[in-house]
PDB file of all heavy atoms in Angstrom:
ATOM      1  N   HIS A   1     109.073  66.863 114.881  1.00 90.00           N
ATOM      2  CA  HIS A   1     108.114  67.881 114.477  1.00 90.00           C
ATOM      3  C   HIS A   1     106.688  67.348 114.627  1.00 90.00           C
ATOM      4  O   HIS A   1     106.480  66.176 114.916  1.00 90.00           O
ATOM      5  CB  HIS A   1     108.356  68.308 113.023  1.00 90.00           C
ATOM      6  CG  HIS A   1     108.016  67.245 112.018  1.00 90.00           C
ATOM      7  ND1 HIS A   1     108.872  66.200 111.715  1.00 90.00           N
ATOM      8  CD2 HIS A   1     106.894  67.037 111.273  1.00 90.00           C
ATOM      9  CE1 HIS A   1     108.303  65.418 110.808  1.00 90.00           C
ATOM     10  NE2 HIS A   1     107.098  65.899 110.526  1.00 90.00           N
ATOM     11  N   SER A   2     105.715  68.224 114.435  1.00 93.00           N
ATOM     12  CA  SER A   2     104.308  67.837 114.424  1.00 93.00           C
ATOM     13  C   SER A   2     103.673  68.348 113.143  1.00 93.00           C
ATOM     14  O   SER A   2     104.175  69.289 112.508  1.00 93.00           O
ATOM     15  CB  SER A   2     103.576  68.415 115.643  1.00 93.00           C
ATOM     16  OG  SER A   2     103.995  67.780 116.822  1.00 93.00           O
ATOM     17  N   GLN A   3     102.559  67.734 112.780  1.00 94.00           N
ATOM     18  CA  GLN A   3     101.887  68.081 111.534  1.00 94.00           C
ATOM     19  C   GLN A   3     100.394  68.329 111.796  1.00 94.00           C
ATOM     20  O   GLN A   3      99.702  67.489 112.362  1.00 94.00           O
ATOM     21  CB  GLN A   3     102.050  66.962 110.503  1.00 94.00           C
ATOM     22  CG  GLN A   3     101.358  67.218 109.175  1.00 94.00           C
ATOM     23  CD  GLN A   3     101.634  66.127 108.175  1.00 94.00           C
ATOM     24  OE1 GLN A   3     102.710  66.079 107.581  1.00 94.00           O
ATOM     25  NE2 GLN A   3     100.695  65.234 107.992  1.00 94.00           N
ATOM     26  N   TYR A   4      99.915  69.493 111.363  1.00 95.00           N
ATOM     27  CA  TYR A   4      98.509  69.875 111.502  1.00 95.00           C
ATOM     28  C   TYR A   4      97.797  69.581 110.193  1.00 95.00           C
ATOM     29  O   TYR A   4      98.230  70.016 109.126  1.00 95.00           O
ATOM     30  CB  TYR A   4      98.425  71.365 111.825  1.00 95.00           C
ATOM     31  CG  TYR A   4      97.022  71.948 111.908  1.00 95.00           C
ATOM     32  CD1 TYR A   4      96.433  72.195 113.136  1.00 95.00           C
ATOM     33  CD2 TYR A   4      96.309  72.275 110.758  1.00 95.00           C
ATOM     34  CE1 TYR A   4      95.159  72.751 113.219  1.00 95.00           C
ATOM     35  CE2 TYR A   4      95.038  72.830 110.829  1.00 95.00           C
ATOM     36  CZ  TYR A   4      94.473  73.067 112.065  1.00 95.00           C
ATOM     37  OH  TYR A   4      93.212  73.621 112.132  1.00 95.00           O
ATOM     38  N   SER A   5      96.687  68.839 110.260  1.00 94.00           N
ATOM     39  CA  SER A   5      95.918  68.540 109.048  1.00 94.00           C
ATOM     40  C   SER A   5      94.440  68.449 109.396  1.00 94.00           C
ATOM     41  O   SER A   5      94.061  68.044 110.498  1.00 94.00           O
ATOM     42  CB  SER A   5      96.398  67.243 108.392  1.00 94.00           C
ATOM     43  OG  SER A   5      96.317  66.160 109.298  1.00 94.00           O
ATOM     44  N   VAL A   6      93.592  68.833 108.446  1.00 95.00           N
ATOM     45  CA  VAL A   6      92.136  68.808 108.626  1.00 95.00           C
ATOM     46  C   VAL A   6      91.598  67.463 108.173  1.00 95.00           C
ATOM     47  O   VAL A   6      92.024  66.912 107.153  1.00 95.00           O
ATOM     48  CB  VAL A   6      91.474  69.949 107.829  1.00 95.00           C
ATOM     49  CG1 VAL A   6      89.953  69.819 107.839  1.00 95.00           C
ATOM     50  CG2 VAL A   6      91.893  71.298 108.397  1.00 95.00           C
ATOM     51  N   VAL A   7      90.660  66.921 108.931  1.00 93.00           N
ATOM     52  CA  VAL A   7      90.070  65.623 108.603  1.00 93.00           C
ATOM     53  C   VAL A   7      89.133  65.776 107.408  1.00 93.00           C
ATOM     54  O   VAL A   7      88.243  66.626 107.401  1.00 93.00           O
ATOM     55  CB  VAL A   7      89.287  65.062 109.817  1.00 93.00           C
ATOM     56  CG1 VAL A   7      88.627  63.732 109.456  1.00 93.00           C
ATOM     57  CG2 VAL A   7      90.209  64.899 111.011  1.00 93.00           C
ATOM     58  N   ASN A   8      89.361  64.967 106.382  1.00 89.00           N
ATOM     59  CA  ASN A   8      88.526  64.964 105.173  1.00 89.00           C
ATOM     60  C   ASN A   8      88.402  66.359 104.555  1.00 89.00           C
ATOM     61  O   ASN A   8      87.314  66.771 104.125  1.00 89.00           O
ATOM     62  CB  ASN A   8      87.127  64.423 105.477  1.00 89.00           C
ATOM     63  CG  ASN A   8      87.146  62.977 105.947  1.00 89.00           C
ATOM     64  OD1 ASN A   8      87.961  62.180 105.466  1.00 89.00           O
ATOM     65  ND2 ASN A   8      86.279  62.632 106.874  1.00 89.00           N
ATOM     66  N   GLY A   9      89.502  67.073 104.511  1.00 87.00           N
ATOM     67  CA  GLY A   9      89.480  68.417 103.934  1.00 87.00           C
ATOM     68  C   GLY A   9      89.462  68.393 102.425  1.00 87.00           C
ATOM     69  O   GLY A   9      90.087  67.540 101.802  1.00 87.00           O
ATOM     70  N   GLU A  10      88.726  69.339 101.821  1.00 88.00           N
ATOM     71  CA  GLU A  10      88.677  69.417 100.368  1.00 88.00           C
ATOM     72  C   GLU A  10      89.639  70.490  99.863  1.00 88.00           C
ATOM     73  O   GLU A  10      90.233  71.225 100.634  1.00 88.00           O
ATOM     74  CB  GLU A  10      87.251  69.711  99.888  1.00 88.00           C
ATOM     75  CG  GLU A  10      86.748  71.092 100.227  1.00 88.00           C
ATOM     76  CD  GLU A  10      86.092  71.152 101.586  1.00 88.00           C
ATOM     77  OE1 GLU A  10      86.131  70.141 102.318  1.00 88.00           O
ATOM     78  OE2 GLU A  10      85.558  72.210 101.933  1.00 88.00           O
ATOM     79  N   GLN A  11      89.766  70.568  98.555  1.00 87.00           N
ATOM     80  CA  GLN A  11      90.707  71.505  97.937  1.00 87.00           C
ATOM     81  C   GLN A  11      89.935  72.512  97.100  1.00 87.00           C
ATOM     82  O   GLN A  11      89.393  72.186  96.054  1.00 87.00           O
ATOM     83  CB  GLN A  11      91.718  70.739  97.069  1.00 87.00           C
ATOM     84  CG  GLN A  11      92.787  71.628  96.441  1.00 87.00           C
ATOM     85  CD  GLN A  11      93.916  70.804  95.857  1.00 87.00           C
ATOM     86  OE1 GLN A  11      94.713  70.229  96.584  1.00 87.00           O
ATOM     87  NE2 GLN A  11      93.973  70.719  94.546  1.00 87.00           N
ATOM     88  N   ASN A  12      89.860  73.748  97.581  1.00 85.00           N
ATOM     89  CA  ASN A  12      89.193  74.829  96.861  1.00 85.00           C
ATOM     90  C   ASN A  12      90.214  75.882  96.451  1.00 85.00           C
ATOM     91  O   ASN A  12      91.298  75.967  97.028  1.00 85.00           O
ATOM     92  CB  ASN A  12      88.129  75.484  97.750  1.00 85.00           C
ATOM     93  CG  ASN A  12      87.051  74.512  98.174  1.00 85.00           C
ATOM     94  OD1 ASN A  12      86.515  73.780  97.348  1.00 85.00           O
ATOM     95  ND2 ASN A  12      86.747  74.477  99.464  1.00 85.00           N
ATOM     96  N   GLU A  13      89.849  76.678  95.474  1.00 90.00           N
ATOM     97  CA  GLU A  13      90.729  77.767  95.073  1.00 90.00           C
ATOM     98  C   GLU A  13      90.780  78.792  96.199  1.00 90.00           C
ATOM     99  O   GLU A  13      89.753  79.186  96.749  1.00 90.00           O
ATOM    100  CB  GLU A  13      90.223  78.430  93.789  1.00 90.00           C
ATOM    101  CG  GLU A  13      91.164  79.503  93.274  1.00 90.00           C
ATOM    102  CD  GLU A  13      90.754  80.024  91.914  1.00 90.00           C
ATOM    103  OE1 GLU A  13      89.832  79.448  91.306  1.00 90.00           O
ATOM    104  OE2 GLU A  13      91.357  81.017  91.459  1.00 90.00           O
ATOM    105  N   VAL A  14      91.990  79.208  96.536  1.00 92.00           N
ATOM    106  CA  VAL A  14      92.188  80.095  97.691  1.00 92.00           C
ATOM    107  C   VAL A  14      91.886  81.541  97.313  1.00 92.00           C
ATOM    108  O   VAL A  14      92.391  82.057  96.309  1.00 92.00           O
ATOM    109  CB  VAL A  14      93.625  79.974  98.224  1.00 92.00           C
ATOM    110  CG1 VAL A  14      93.845  80.916  99.395  1.00 92.00           C
ATOM    111  CG2 VAL A  14      93.918  78.539  98.644  1.00 92.00           C
ATOM    112  N   SER A  15      91.062  82.200  98.121  1.00 88.00           N
ATOM    113  CA  SER A  15      90.734  83.601  97.903  1.00 88.00           C
ATOM    114  C   SER A  15      91.740  84.493  98.633  1.00 88.00           C
ATOM    115  O   SER A  15      92.634  84.012  99.326  1.00 88.00           O
ATOM    116  CB  SER A  15      89.307  83.892  98.399  1.00 88.00           C
ATOM    117  OG  SER A  15      89.179  83.497  99.754  1.00 88.00           O
ATOM    118  N   ASN A  16      91.586  85.801  98.486  1.00 90.00           N
ATOM    119  CA  ASN A  16      92.511  86.743  99.109  1.00 90.00           C
ATOM    120  C   ASN A  16      92.416  86.694 100.639  1.00 90.00           C
ATOM    121  O   ASN A  16      91.402  86.296 101.199  1.00 90.00           O
ATOM    122  CB  ASN A  16      92.227  88.169  98.636  1.00 90.00           C
ATOM    123  CG  ASN A  16      92.561  88.368  97.175  1.00 90.00           C
ATOM    124  OD1 ASN A  16      93.482  87.732  96.661  1.00 90.00           O
ATOM    125  ND2 ASN A  16      91.822  89.224  96.509  1.00 90.00           N
ATOM    126  N   ILE A  17      93.484  87.114 101.302  1.00 92.00           N
ATOM    127  CA  ILE A  17      93.520  87.168 102.763  1.00 92.00           C
ATOM    128  C   ILE A  17      93.054  88.540 103.211  1.00 92.00           C
ATOM    129  O   ILE A  17      93.643  89.559 102.833  1.00 92.00           O
ATOM    130  CB  ILE A  17      94.939  86.896 103.293  1.00 92.00           C
ATOM    131  CG1 ILE A  17      95.477  85.570 102.753  1.00 92.00           C
ATOM    132  CG2 ILE A  17      94.939  86.875 104.817  1.00 92.00           C
ATOM    133  CD1 ILE A  17      96.927  85.292 103.129  1.00 92.00           C
ATOM    134  N   GLU A  18      91.976  88.563 104.011  1.00 91.00           N
ATOM    135  CA  GLU A  18      91.433  89.826 104.513  1.00 91.00           C
ATOM    136  C   GLU A  18      91.920  90.043 105.951  1.00 91.00           C
ATOM    137  O   GLU A  18      91.505  89.332 106.856  1.00 91.00           O
ATOM    138  CB  GLU A  18      89.905  89.809 104.466  1.00 91.00           C
ATOM    139  CG  GLU A  18      89.314  89.541 103.080  1.00 91.00           C
ATOM    140  CD  GLU A  18      89.599  90.662 102.101  1.00 91.00           C
ATOM    141  OE1 GLU A  18      89.845  91.794 102.574  1.00 91.00           O
ATOM    142  OE2 GLU A  18      89.590  90.407 100.893  1.00 91.00           O
ATOM    143  N   ILE A  19      92.811  91.023 106.162  1.00 93.00           N
ATOM    144  CA  ILE A  19      93.418  91.262 107.473  1.00 93.00           C
ATOM    145  C   ILE A  19      92.896  92.579 108.037  1.00 93.00           C
ATOM    146  O   ILE A  19      92.946  93.616 107.375  1.00 93.00           O
ATOM    147  CB  ILE A  19      94.950  91.324 107.372  1.00 93.00           C
ATOM    148  CG1 ILE A  19      95.477  90.114 106.597  1.00 93.00           C
ATOM    149  CG2 ILE A  19      95.589  91.389 108.744  1.00 93.00           C
ATOM    150  CD1 ILE A  19      96.927  90.222 106.227  1.00 93.00           C
ATOM    151  N   GLY A  20      92.403  92.529 109.271  1.00 95.00           N
ATOM    152  CA  GLY A  20      91.868  93.740 109.886  1.00 95.00           C
ATOM    153  C   GLY A  20      92.863  94.480 110.753  1.00 95.00           C
ATOM    154  O   GLY A  20      92.636  95.636 111.105  1.00 95.00           O
ATOM    155  N   TYR A  21      93.979  93.826 111.116  1.00 96.00           N
ATOM    156  CA  TYR A  21      94.947  94.474 112.007  1.00 96.00           C
ATOM    157  C   TYR A  21      96.373  94.167 111.572  1.00 96.00           C
ATOM    158  O   TYR A  21      96.758  93.003 111.424  1.00 96.00           O
ATOM    159  CB  TYR A  21      94.751  94.002 113.444  1.00 96.00           C
ATOM    160  CG  TYR A  21      95.836  94.456 114.395  1.00 96.00           C
ATOM    161  CD1 TYR A  21      95.895  95.783 114.824  1.00 96.00           C
ATOM    162  CD2 TYR A  21      96.813  93.568 114.841  1.00 96.00           C
ATOM    163  CE1 TYR A  21      96.903  96.207 115.682  1.00 96.00           C
ATOM    164  CE2 TYR A  21      97.820  93.981 115.698  1.00 96.00           C
ATOM    165  CZ  TYR A  21      97.865  95.305 116.120  1.00 96.00           C
ATOM    166  OH  TYR A  21      98.868  95.724 116.965  1.00 96.00           O
ATOM    167  N   ILE A  22      97.165  95.211 111.341  1.00 95.00           N
ATOM    168  CA  ILE A  22      98.599  95.097 111.063  1.00 95.00           C
ATOM    169  C   ILE A  22      99.329  95.964 112.083  1.00 95.00           C
ATOM    170  O   ILE A  22      99.032  97.165 112.211  1.00 95.00           O
ATOM    171  CB  ILE A  22      98.953  95.589 109.639  1.00 95.00           C
ATOM    172  CG1 ILE A  22      98.209  94.768 108.593  1.00 95.00           C
ATOM    173  CG2 ILE A  22     100.462  95.504 109.405  1.00 95.00           C
ATOM    174  CD1 ILE A  22      98.616  93.319 108.525  1.00 95.00           C
ATOM    175  N   PRO A  23     100.269  95.414 112.865  1.00 95.00           N
ATOM    176  CA  PRO A  23     100.992  96.218 113.866  1.00 95.00           C
ATOM    177  C   PRO A  23     101.704  97.409 113.229  1.00 95.00           C
ATOM    178  O   PRO A  23     102.124  97.349 112.066  1.00 95.00           O
ATOM    179  CB  PRO A  23     101.996  95.216 114.452  1.00 95.00           C
ATOM    180  CG  PRO A  23     101.400  93.873 114.183  1.00 95.00           C
ATOM    181  CD  PRO A  23     100.690  94.007 112.871  1.00 95.00           C
ATOM    182  N   ALA A  24     101.841  98.466 113.988  1.00 95.00           N
ATOM    183  CA  ALA A  24     102.489  99.688 113.498  1.00 95.00           C
ATOM    184  C   ALA A  24     103.927  99.398 113.083  1.00 95.00           C
ATOM    185  O   ALA A  24     104.641  98.649 113.749  1.00 95.00           O
ATOM    186  CB  ALA A  24     102.451 100.763 114.576  1.00 95.00           C
ATOM    187  N   GLY A  25     104.343  99.991 111.980  1.00 96.00           N
ATOM    188  CA  GLY A  25     105.717  99.868 111.507  1.00 96.00           C
ATOM    189  C   GLY A  25     105.946  98.739 110.529  1.00 96.00           C
ATOM    190  O   GLY A  25     107.024  98.653 109.924  1.00 96.00           O
ATOM    191  N   PHE A  26     104.967  97.857 110.339  1.00 97.00           N
ATOM    192  CA  PHE A  26     105.128  96.735 109.414  1.00 97.00           C
ATOM    193  C   PHE A  26     104.647  97.118 108.018  1.00 97.00           C
ATOM    194  O   PHE A  26     103.586  97.722 107.854  1.00 97.00           O
ATOM    195  CB  PHE A  26     104.350  95.513 109.902  1.00 97.00           C
ATOM    196  CG  PHE A  26     105.034  94.763 111.009  1.00 97.00           C
ATOM    197  CD1 PHE A  26     104.846  95.143 112.326  1.00 97.00           C
ATOM    198  CD2 PHE A  26     105.876  93.692 110.731  1.00 97.00           C
ATOM    199  CE1 PHE A  26     105.478  94.457 113.358  1.00 97.00           C
ATOM    200  CE2 PHE A  26     106.503  93.005 111.750  1.00 97.00           C
ATOM    201  CZ  PHE A  26     106.316  93.391 113.070  1.00 97.00           C
ATOM    202  N   ASN A  27     105.450  96.745 107.030  1.00 96.00           N
ATOM    203  CA  ASN A  27     105.110  96.985 105.635  1.00 96.00           C
ATOM    204  C   ASN A  27     105.098  95.675 104.862  1.00 96.00           C
ATOM    205  O   ASN A  27     105.894  94.769 105.140  1.00 96.00           O
ATOM    206  CB  ASN A  27     106.128  97.944 104.983  1.00 96.00           C
ATOM    207  CG  ASN A  27     106.098  99.321 105.608  1.00 96.00           C
ATOM    208  OD1 ASN A  27     105.043  99.957 105.681  1.00 96.00           O
ATOM    209  ND2 ASN A  27     107.256  99.777 106.083  1.00 96.00           N
ATOM    210  N   LEU A  28     104.199  95.567 103.900  1.00 96.00           N
ATOM    211  CA  LEU A  28     104.113  94.371 103.066  1.00 96.00           C
ATOM    212  C   LEU A  28     105.260  94.371 102.058  1.00 96.00           C
ATOM    213  O   LEU A  28     105.358  95.263 101.220  1.00 96.00           O
ATOM    214  CB  LEU A  28     102.766  94.335 102.339  1.00 96.00           C
ATOM    215  CG  LEU A  28     102.523  93.147 101.403  1.00 96.00           C
ATOM    216  CD1 LEU A  28     102.527  91.833 102.170  1.00 96.00           C
ATOM    217  CD2 LEU A  28     101.210  93.321 100.652  1.00 96.00           C
ATOM    218  N   LEU A  29     106.149  93.361 102.134  1.00 95.00           N
ATOM    219  CA  LEU A  29     107.291  93.278 101.230  1.00 95.00           C
ATOM    220  C   LEU A  29     107.056  92.288 100.094  1.00 95.00           C
ATOM    221  O   LEU A  29     107.460  92.526  98.958  1.00 95.00           O
ATOM    222  CB  LEU A  29     108.552  92.869 101.999  1.00 95.00           C
ATOM    223  CG  LEU A  29     109.085  93.871 103.026  1.00 95.00           C
ATOM    224  CD1 LEU A  29     110.420  93.392 103.573  1.00 95.00           C
ATOM    225  CD2 LEU A  29     109.246  95.257 102.403  1.00 95.00           C
ATOM    226  N   ASN A  30     106.429  91.164 100.400  1.00 93.00           N
ATOM    227  CA  ASN A  30     106.179  90.152  99.373  1.00 93.00           C
ATOM    228  C   ASN A  30     104.737  89.692  99.447  1.00 93.00           C
ATOM    229  O   ASN A  30     104.168  89.540 100.529  1.00 93.00           O
ATOM    230  CB  ASN A  30     107.113  88.947  99.554  1.00 93.00           C
ATOM    231  CG  ASN A  30     108.565  89.303  99.312  1.00 93.00           C
ATOM    232  OD1 ASN A  30     108.915  89.813  98.253  1.00 93.00           O
ATOM    233  ND2 ASN A  30     109.409  89.061 100.307  1.00 93.00           N
ATOM    234  N   ASP A  31     104.162  89.413  98.273  1.00 93.00           N
ATOM    235  CA  ASP A  31     102.768  88.988  98.190  1.00 93.00           C
ATOM    236  C   ASP A  31     102.683  87.891  97.131  1.00 93.00           C
ATOM    237  O   ASP A  31     102.712  88.170  95.934  1.00 93.00           O
ATOM    238  CB  ASP A  31     101.892  90.187  97.814  1.00 93.00           C
ATOM    239  CG  ASP A  31     100.419  89.806  97.754  1.00 93.00           C
ATOM    240  OD1 ASP A  31     100.091  88.632  97.976  1.00 93.00           O
ATOM    241  OD2 ASP A  31      99.596  90.697  97.469  1.00 93.00           O
ATOM    242  N   TYR A  32     102.621  86.633  97.600  1.00 93.00           N
ATOM    243  CA  TYR A  32     102.522  85.501  96.672  1.00 93.00           C
ATOM    244  C   TYR A  32     101.064  85.070  96.552  1.00 93.00           C
ATOM    245  O   TYR A  32     100.401  84.809  97.550  1.00 93.00           O
ATOM    246  CB  TYR A  32     103.363  84.315  97.156  1.00 93.00           C
ATOM    247  CG  TYR A  32     103.131  83.064  96.349  1.00 93.00           C
ATOM    248  CD1 TYR A  32     103.701  82.922  95.088  1.00 93.00           C
ATOM    249  CD2 TYR A  32     102.319  82.037  96.835  1.00 93.00           C
ATOM    250  CE1 TYR A  32     103.472  81.784  94.331  1.00 93.00           C
ATOM    251  CE2 TYR A  32     102.088  80.901  96.087  1.00 93.00           C
ATOM    252  CZ  TYR A  32     102.665  80.774  94.835  1.00 93.00           C
ATOM    253  OH  TYR A  32     102.433  79.648  94.091  1.00 93.00           O
ATOM    254  N   ASN A  33     100.569  85.010  95.324  1.00 89.00           N
ATOM    255  CA  ASN A  33      99.186  84.622  95.082  1.00 89.00           C
ATOM    256  C   ASN A  33      99.133  83.427  94.140  1.00 89.00           C
ATOM    257  O   ASN A  33      99.306  83.569  92.924  1.00 89.00           O
ATOM    258  CB  ASN A  33      98.397  85.785  94.465  1.00 89.00           C
ATOM    259  CG  ASN A  33      98.108  86.873  95.469  1.00 89.00           C
ATOM    260  OD1 ASN A  33      97.296  86.695  96.361  1.00 89.00           O
ATOM    261  ND2 ASN A  33      98.794  87.996  95.337  1.00 89.00           N
ATOM    262  N   GLY A  34      98.889  82.241  94.697  1.00 89.00           N
ATOM    263  CA  GLY A  34      98.703  81.039  93.901  1.00 89.00           C
ATOM    264  C   GLY A  34      97.259  80.586  93.992  1.00 89.00           C
ATOM    265  O   GLY A  34      96.479  81.111  94.780  1.00 89.00           O
ATOM    266  N   SER A  35      96.887  79.608  93.189  1.00 87.00           N
ATOM    267  CA  SER A  35      95.509  79.128  93.224  1.00 87.00           C
ATOM    268  C   SER A  35      95.237  78.268  94.447  1.00 87.00           C
ATOM    269  O   SER A  35      94.094  78.162  94.906  1.00 87.00           O
ATOM    270  CB  SER A  35      95.209  78.322  91.959  1.00 87.00           C
ATOM    271  OG  SER A  35      96.083  77.197  91.871  1.00 87.00           O
ATOM    272  N   LEU A  36      96.313  77.651  95.017  1.00 90.00           N
ATOM    273  CA  LEU A  36      96.137  76.760  96.168  1.00 90.00           C
ATOM    274  C   LEU A  36      96.691  77.330  97.463  1.00 90.00           C
ATOM    275  O   LEU A  36      96.457  76.773  98.529  1.00 90.00           O
ATOM    276  CB  LEU A  36      96.794  75.398  95.878  1.00 90.00           C
ATOM    277  CG  LEU A  36      96.227  74.636  94.680  1.00 90.00           C
ATOM    278  CD1 LEU A  36      96.942  73.305  94.518  1.00 90.00           C
ATOM    279  CD2 LEU A  36      94.730  74.420  94.831  1.00 90.00           C
ATOM    280  N   ASP A  37      97.443  78.413  97.388  1.00 92.00           N
ATOM    281  CA  ASP A  37      97.923  79.064  98.612  1.00 92.00           C
ATOM    282  C   ASP A  37      98.312  80.507  98.344  1.00 92.00           C
ATOM    283  O   ASP A  37      98.672  80.863  97.226  1.00 92.00           O
ATOM    284  CB  ASP A  37      99.103  78.299  99.231  1.00 92.00           C
ATOM    285  CG  ASP A  37     100.307  78.237  98.300  1.00 92.00           C
ATOM    286  OD1 ASP A  37     100.130  78.442  97.088  1.00 92.00           O
ATOM    287  OD2 ASP A  37     101.415  77.987  98.776  1.00 92.00           O
ATOM    288  N   LYS A  38      98.198  81.311  99.385  1.00 95.00           N
ATOM    289  CA  LYS A  38      98.596  82.719  99.314  1.00 95.00           C
ATOM    290  C   LYS A  38      99.447  83.023 100.534  1.00 95.00           C
ATOM    291  O   LYS A  38      99.148  82.557 101.641  1.00 95.00           O
ATOM    292  CB  LYS A  38      97.366  83.623  99.267  1.00 95.00           C
ATOM    293  CG  LYS A  38      96.519  83.435  98.010  1.00 95.00           C
ATOM    294  CD  LYS A  38      95.364  84.403  97.944  1.00 95.00           C
ATOM    295  CE  LYS A  38      94.484  84.120  96.719  1.00 95.00           C
ATOM    296  NZ  LYS A  38      95.206  84.298  95.450  1.00 95.00           N
ATOM    297  N   ILE A  39     100.511  83.805 100.334  1.00 96.00           N
ATOM    298  CA  ILE A  39     101.439  84.126 101.422  1.00 96.00           C
ATOM    299  C   ILE A  39     101.746  85.616 101.399  1.00 96.00           C
ATOM    300  O   ILE A  39     102.084  86.178 100.352  1.00 96.00           O
ATOM    301  CB  ILE A  39     102.761  83.331 101.305  1.00 96.00           C
ATOM    302  CG1 ILE A  39     102.492  81.823 101.256  1.00 96.00           C
ATOM    303  CG2 ILE A  39     103.692  83.662 102.464  1.00 96.00           C
ATOM    304  CD1 ILE A  39     103.721  80.998 100.958  1.00 96.00           C
ATOM    305  N   LEU A  40     101.621  86.258 102.557  1.00 96.00           N
ATOM    306  CA  LEU A  40     101.972  87.663 102.706  1.00 96.00           C
ATOM    307  C   LEU A  40     103.144  87.765 103.678  1.00 96.00           C
ATOM    308  O   LEU A  40     103.135  87.130 104.728  1.00 96.00           O
ATOM    309  CB  LEU A  40     100.787  88.466 103.249  1.00 96.00           C
ATOM    310  CG  LEU A  40      99.483  88.408 102.447  1.00 96.00           C
ATOM    311  CD1 LEU A  40      98.398  89.217 103.147  1.00 96.00           C
ATOM    312  CD2 LEU A  40      99.690  88.917 101.032  1.00 96.00           C
ATOM    313  N   HIS A  41     104.160  88.563 103.325  1.00 97.00           N
ATOM    314  CA  HIS A  41     105.348  88.727 104.170  1.00 97.00           C
ATOM    315  C   HIS A  41     105.467  90.194 104.577  1.00 97.00           C
ATOM    316  O   HIS A  41     105.584  91.081 103.730  1.00 97.00           O
ATOM    317  CB  HIS A  41     106.612  88.301 103.414  1.00 97.00           C
ATOM    318  CG  HIS A  41     107.880  88.505 104.190  1.00 97.00           C
ATOM    319  ND1 HIS A  41     108.193  87.785 105.315  1.00 97.00           N
ATOM    320  CD2 HIS A  41     108.916  89.378 103.999  1.00 97.00           C
ATOM    321  CE1 HIS A  41     109.357  88.176 105.790  1.00 97.00           C
ATOM    322  NE2 HIS A  41     109.820  89.154 105.010  1.00 97.00           N
ATOM    323  N   TYR A  42     105.432  90.437 105.898  1.00 97.00           N
ATOM    324  CA  TYR A  42     105.521  91.787 106.444  1.00 97.00           C
ATOM    325  C   TYR A  42     106.829  91.948 107.222  1.00 97.00           C
ATOM    326  O   TYR A  42     107.300  90.996 107.863  1.00 97.00           O
ATOM    327  CB  TYR A  42     104.343  92.078 107.378  1.00 97.00           C
ATOM    328  CG  TYR A  42     103.019  92.262 106.670  1.00 97.00           C
ATOM    329  CD1 TYR A  42     102.229  91.159 106.358  1.00 97.00           C
ATOM    330  CD2 TYR A  42     102.568  93.530 106.320  1.00 97.00           C
ATOM    331  CE1 TYR A  42     101.007  91.323 105.711  1.00 97.00           C
ATOM    332  CE2 TYR A  42     101.352  93.706 105.686  1.00 97.00           C
ATOM    333  CZ  TYR A  42     100.574  92.598 105.380  1.00 97.00           C
ATOM    334  OH  TYR A  42      99.379  92.765 104.733  1.00 97.00           O
TER     335      TYR A  42
END
């Protein structure tokens, strides 16, 4: 496998995900909101 990481990255509280385009027919089924990560499942 490979691993993507940012050099000298800091840790900030994660804000909401602003999405401008969702393909037709997709619906949001799960929405996880944590302070360090957010995940949307369509």
Side-chain angles (χ1 to χ4, degrees):
H1 69 279
S2 290
Q3 179 176 283
Y4 176 102
S5 57
V6 172
V7 178
N8 297 324
E10 69 272 6
Q11 183 168 288
N12 299 312
E13 184 172 352
V14 179
S15 55
N16 292 328
I17 305 175
E18 303 294 337
I19 310 169
Y21 171 74
I22 300 294
F26 282 86
N27 296 305
L28 179 63
L29 294 187
N30 294 304
D31 182 359
Y32 171 77
N33 287 289
S35 60
L36 299 181
D37 62 341
K38 295 184 184 297
I39 304 172
L40 303 178
H41 177 68
Y42 288 86

